[in-house]
Amino acid sequence: DNVAQADTTDVDTLKKAVETQLKQKGIDVGAFVVDGQRSYFKACTREEALKAKKTKKGSTMYVIPDPDAKKAFRLMKAVKDEGMPTYK
């Protein structure tokens, strides 16, 4: 489901737009597709984007990174005599 489009094909600019402009507007983008002249932002989850991918000549799909990929590397440290750490 296309929620936005852009007239640029610069991937770095598009990634920044996903993280800032679209997120501020409340649009949850799971992937974007770049063809020869334009880019299309898709409203979906990462899993939905990977299941729905289709081959199209001249187009490239970029999917948001897996948020759980680095979950095993998250650490919390407790400070002696300060209690348990909390999530914020």
Side-chain angles (χ1 to χ4, degrees), residues 14-39:
L14 296 168
K15 286 180 185 178
K16 192 172 185 178
V18 168
E19 294 170 0
T20 56
Q21 294 173 346
L22 296 172
K23 193 173 275 190
Q24 288 174 354
K25 291 182 180 179
I27 300 172
D28 189 25
V29 175
F32 61 90
V33 178
V34 178
D35 65 11
Q37 304 93 3
R38 223 170 225 177
S39 303

Side-chain angles (χ1 to χ4, degrees), residues 33-37 54-61:
V33 178
V34 178
D35 65 11
Q37 304 93 3
K54 296 178 183 172
T55 303
K56 184 177 177 185
K57 193 171 188 174
S59 295
T60 305
M61 180 173 75

Side-chain angles (χ1 to χ4, degrees), residues 6-86:
D7 291 332
T8 182
T9 58
D10 180 33
V11 177
D12 292 327
T13 303
L14 296 168
K15 286 180 185 178
K16 192 172 185 178
V18 168
E19 294 170 0
T20 56
Q21 294 173 346
L22 296 172
K23 193 173 275 190
Q24 288 174 354
K25 291 182 180 179
I27 300 172
D28 189 25
V29 175
F32 61 90
V33 178
V34 178
D35 65 11
Q37 304 93 3
R38 223 170 225 177
S39 303
Y40 303 94
F41 297 94
K42 307 287 186 178
C44 58
T45 64
R46 182 179 197 283
E47 291 76 25
E48 291 171 345
L50 292 174
K51 285 181 186 176
K53 69 179 178 179
K54 296 178 183 172
T55 303
K56 184 177 177 185
K57 193 171 188 174
S59 295
T60 305
M61 180 173 75
Y62 296 88
V63 182
I64 60 167
D66 187 4
D68 295 330
K70 296 181 182 178
K71 196 174 192 178
F73 298 112
R74 294 183 195 156
L75 297 174
M76 292 190 119
K77 295 182 180 181
V79 179
K80 189 174 179 178
D81 299 326
E82 292 294 324
M84 294 296 293
T86 57

